Amino acid sequence: MSGRPVTAEADGTAPAKGPADGDRIRAVPLRHPGRWVTSAVLIFVLVFLVQGWAANPRMQWATVGEFLFAPVVLEGLRTTLLLTVAAMAIGIAGGVVVAVLRMSANPVLARLSAFYIWVFRGTPLLVQLLFWYFLSAIVPVIGFGVPWGPTFFQVDTNRLITQMTAAVLGLGLHEAAYMAEIVRAGLDSVDEGQSEAAHALGMTRRQTLRRIVLPQALRLIIPPTGNQAISMLKTTSLVFAIAVPELLTSIQGIYSRNFQQVPLLAVACVWYLVATSVLNVGQHYLERRFRRGDGRATAQRRRRQAVTPFEEPQS
């Protein structure tokens, strides 16, 4: 007796037939009337609010159009963008350094970086801005020289730390504490085996971080960094407390003279929305750029899974 399996044809029985074309089951998608009703209600409420806001004569849209491109407003917008770029540059660079020190095997460096994060995340940003602005009250002169020895060079603190410098220091150092935790989370997401393999190939810790770990961690670091940049753009409005002429401070200076608070605040909202929209577009393309490798890896993984693991080689 042969060990081959007996098929339906060999057994004399006819194979089972599928349903006829006319008897096939036709899938009907589920209907969700509640979704359409909810959407219609929300759209109606949105249109009602926008129409009421746009048609309100007290908004004084003529005043909005008059000051939308006013030189003082555009100068304030330029200062806002400059503060955002400078603060994020300090925040990203400082955050990478603090995160690396936080993960250091040296306990002193790790604790010092943890102390930095604790201080700058635990105190309000407005307090930090005021602290840097009034630093000359406790340190009237900043000198450079030998500690407890002769001073080679010194400068007046008020001349060194101006309003703009105090704003950049306050915003940048505060942002570095948050960026340090974002970078640390991204570095922790990379498998430890990557570093071990790099060390086995003779790479130093610095080379491993720069060539292996950091490029992979960027996929997780980029999205929250974009959110922090958008948040920083809006957070710059806090520097009005130290009289830096950014966008909101310029707007306040105008409506303190003509008493048109709401129309001028609408001007500020328009420019903030324009700037954040540009940052949103940049963040989208940057995230897509760093996600390219994920698509290739997924395709390769699917091709490997398509191979039957129990397939025996033919003789």
Side-chain angles (χ1 to χ4, degrees), residues 54 88 240 252:
M88 286 305 300
F240 80 93
Q252 288 176 328

Side-chain angles (χ1 to χ4, degrees), residues 29 72 251:
V72 64
I251 293 293

Side-chain angles (χ1 to χ4, degrees), residues 4-116:
R4 296 176 58 188
V6 179
T7 62
E9 290 80 5
D11 196 31
T13 60
K17 295 182 179 180
D21 293 342
D23 298 335
R24 289 180 179 176
I25 299 175
R26 185 169 58 90
V28 178
L30 293 176
R31 302 185 183 276
H32 303 280
R35 295 181 183 179
W36 294 103
V37 173
T38 304
S39 301
V41 171
L42 291 177
I43 292 175
F44 173 78
V45 172
L46 179 62
V47 170
F48 175 77
L49 293 176
V50 171
Q51 190 274 337
W53 178 60
N56 192 339
R58 297 183 179 181
M59 278 300 302
Q60 302 183 23
W61 293 107
T63 304
V64 174
E66 177 185 356
F67 289 98
L68 187 61
F69 296 99
V72 64
V73 175
L74 296 179
E75 183 64 23
L77 177 63
R78 188 188 71 84
T79 303
T80 294
L81 297 177
L82 180 62
L83 282 173
T84 302
V85 172
M88 286 305 300
I90 294 175
I92 293 174
V96 171
V97 173
V98 174
V100 172
L101 295 179
R102 184 77 174 84
M103 302 174 66
S104 173
N106 189 327
V108 176
L109 296 178
R111 284 177 172 81
L112 284 177
S113 60
F115 178 77
Y116 174 89

Side-chain angles (χ1 to χ4, degrees), residues 50-279:
V50 171
Q51 190 274 337
W53 178 60
N56 192 339
R58 297 183 179 181
M59 278 300 302
Q60 302 183 23
W61 293 107
T63 304
V64 174
E66 177 185 356
F67 289 98
L68 187 61
F69 296 99
V72 64
V73 175
L74 296 179
E75 183 64 23
L77 177 63
R78 188 188 71 84
T79 303
T80 294
L81 297 177
L82 180 62
L83 282 173
T84 302
V85 172
M88 286 305 300
I90 294 175
I92 293 174
V96 171
V97 173
V98 174
V100 172
L101 295 179
R102 184 77 174 84
M103 302 174 66
S104 173
N106 189 327
V108 176
L109 296 178
R111 284 177 172 81
L112 284 177
S113 60
F115 178 77
Y116 174 89
I117 296 172
W118 174 68
V119 170
F120 282 89
R121 286 204 311 171
T123 54
L125 176 57
L126 185 58
V127 174
Q128 296 178 33
L129 290 171
L130 294 173
F131 175 83
W132 287 108
Y133 184 63
F134 294 115
L135 182 63
S136 60
I138 56 174
V139 185
V141 176
I142 297 178
F144 301 92
V146 179
W148 300 288
T151 301
F152 305 120
F153 174 74
Q154 65 181 17
V155 63
D156 184 35
T157 304
N158 282 326
R159 293 181 57 187
L160 183 63
I161 301 181
T162 60
Q163 293 171 317
M164 193 70 175
T165 306
V168 171
L169 285 175
L171 294 171
L173 296 179
H174 180 81
E175 182 64 27
Y178 285 91
M179 284 302 305
E181 291 298 282
I182 292 174
V183 174
R184 185 173 67 88
L187 295 178
D188 282 338
S189 67
V190 180
D191 186 38
E192 186 65 24
Q194 301 277 342
S195 300
E196 294 176 356
H199 296 330
L201 293 174
M203 289 188 179
T204 63
R205 290 178 59 89
R206 182 178 301 178
Q207 292 174 333
T208 302
L209 177 65
R210 188 177 71 253
R211 299 180 181 179
I212 305 298
V213 178
L214 199 55
Q216 298 182 67
L218 282 176
R219 294 173 183 169
L220 293 179
I221 295 174
I222 290 297
T225 302
N227 294 335
Q228 289 296 115
I230 295 172
S231 178
M232 176 60 67
L233 177 69
K234 298 175 290 185
T235 306
T236 54
S237 60
L238 288 177
V239 301
F240 80 93
I242 57 177
V244 176
E246 46 81 47
L247 179 58
L248 185 59
T249 306
S250 303
I251 293 293
Q252 288 176 328
I254 297 173
Y255 72 61
S256 64
R257 296 189 299 268
N258 62 8
F259 304 103
Q260 303 294 329
Q261 290 89 348
V262 176
L264 285 164
L265 289 175
V267 171
C269 290
V270 168
W271 283 119
Y272 279 122
L273 288 173
V274 169
T276 54
S277 299
V278 173
L279 290 178

